[in-house]
Amino acid sequence: MPASAPTTHVLIVGSGPTGLTLACDLARRSIDVRIIDKSPEFPRSSRAKGPNPRSLEVLEDLGVVDRVLAAGSAPLPMRKYRNGLPIADTDPFGASHPTPDTPYDRGWLIAQWRLEEILRDRLAEYGVHVELDAEADRLTAGSDSVTVGLADGRSIEARYVVGCDGGHSPVRKLLGVRFEGKTTEEQMMVCGDVEADGPDRGYWHQWFDEDGAVMLCPIPGTRSGWWFQAGPERDRAGAPVPPSLESFRRLFAKHTGLPGARLTQATLLSTYRVNERMADRYRVGRVLLAGDAAHVHSIAGGLGMNTGIQDAFNLGWKLARVVTGQAAPGLLDTYEEERLPVASWALDISSERLRVTLDAIRQPGGGLDSAFTGETTGLGLGYRWSSLSPAGSTARLRAGDRAPDAPCRDAGTGAPARLFEAFAGPHFTLLGFGPATTDALRATETTYGDAVRAYGVDAEARHGLTDDAGHARSAYGIETGADTLVLVRPDNHVGLIAPADDGRAVMDYLDHLSGTAFRRL
């Protein structure tokens, strides 16, 4: 690289789950990445309640899912009360279970600060650390770089900048990108992390009364820590009372019938209002937006943090290919093409789930279980409309869909192996189902080397898998004898489905990613 060129490939502004996911994904691809945050220290807020099933798949690919599972807990059953008395216990996930193609059948309960800590530790393994007390307040675009000015007078030059800096995103505002939508002032909660003595920590407690509500969810990994959420107190003029320990104690005593003194401290207090807004663009030249900087919506269904994590996973491989010259900048346009419709969907489904939940809690026994459906798992989201999803399908899948998992066996050793293990990492994965795919697998290996890992599923290849139980063919909708090629993108979505003898289609797809035009293939 010339001496005058920027020393930083990508600068990420904001070190929440979205920014950290993107930083981890770029760092493992050997991209020179820096990540900054305006906070003087790392936050300890519990905030979002954890990754959904699709985000757990992303975290597995990044190599941290075992740490996340160990630090958190499975979602708890919900205990619902009326007038201080328990009237119903509900387990929204009681009937669900993992399947061969879906190893995570439910989300995971973990404090946001703990999830961020795990991601920071992973990032540090690549030699990258979050730079604190670095507030971005200026952007200057050059022909081949962007300079971000900091509030303390310093500046950082990078080839690309990604704003992952939250709903009030300074990066978005500096770009002049509109953030259209609405704020519903009358729909609000007061929130905070509290210490409490008494409630059974095996439940998410929900006291819903006609004149208000209190919710307490235990924070995994703590002895007496809870998330506290409630409808706010009102003063004589009807204005909401700001959150405080004293106010929380009064609300707790009123709705639970228990002594307010059982709450011993309240920290990280906030007032939450329902915001539904979305950026009209995700990219302005060399600057991109992700996570809450690009979209905010109701917390119903738990899609906020998860949509951001999945934004980052979509963007990471594309940004890496552009930075390293493996693809033209036009590839970055497919980030907005694919993720903006998902954000629009998230706004719609979270708004609908909020309406259903507000109706449910008006009746005794109603609770937050109404906010969760099969749609909120994130497992059904894909990019069938994308210019990176050419025509091609099986009985179960189309190009653009999430690529399912499946248990197999290593063809050489007989040891258990999973498709997700084959996908993990920064490469494309070519699955060849059946012996007729052997020539295409070998040609792809010869042409692209480790950039594409070719796996023969009951076919000859450098990486061989045996589908002795038929789970892989079932997950991909491929009947026995119907030999098929499936190219899986680095973000574990199906890129291409082609006949066994059409290895040229695979090469055309991969070569297309290096071009400047991104039309429907």
Side-chain angles (χ1 to χ4, degrees), residues 157-178:
E157 188 179 12
R159 290 176 61 186
Y160 288 91
V161 173
V162 185
C164 304
D165 48 346
H168 298 289
S169 171
V171 171
R172 186 189 64 241
K173 293 174 182 178
L174 289 168
L175 290 174
V177 172
R178 294 193 301 272

Side-chain angles (χ1 to χ4, degrees), residues 450-503:
D450 289 337
V452 183
R453 290 190 183 173
Y455 283 83
V457 184
D458 299 327
E460 291 186 23
R462 182 154 58 99
H463 305 287
L465 297 172
T466 301
D467 186 25
D468 49 6
H471 291 307
R473 281 188 176 269
S474 175
Y476 284 75
I478 300 171
E479 296 180 2
T480 302
D483 294 0
T484 303
L485 294 165
V486 179
L487 182 67
V488 179
R489 300 173 4 173
D491 59 355
N492 300 350
H493 282 265
V494 175
L496 176 76
I497 299 171
D501 59 355
D502 195 4

Side-chain angles (χ1 to χ4, degrees), residues 79-88 205-212 214 251-258:
R79 176 158 288 176
K80 278 97 60 107
Y81 302 77
R82 200 73 163 191
N83 299 319
L85 299 175
I87 58 174
H205 300 272
Q206 301 168 16
W207 291 268
F208 289 111
D209 297 321
E210 293 183 3
D211 59 348
V214 164
L251 288 165
F252 183 77
K254 174 183 177 181
H255 292 289
T256 70
L258 300 171

Side-chain angles (χ1 to χ4, degrees), residues 262-280:
R262 288 194 175 185
L263 300 187
T264 54
Q265 63 175 308
T267 58
L268 302 164
L269 307 179
S270 64
T271 299
Y272 168 81
R273 292 174 175 82
V274 175
N275 278 291
E276 296 174 331
R277 298 181 182 275
M278 190 168 70
D280 64 346

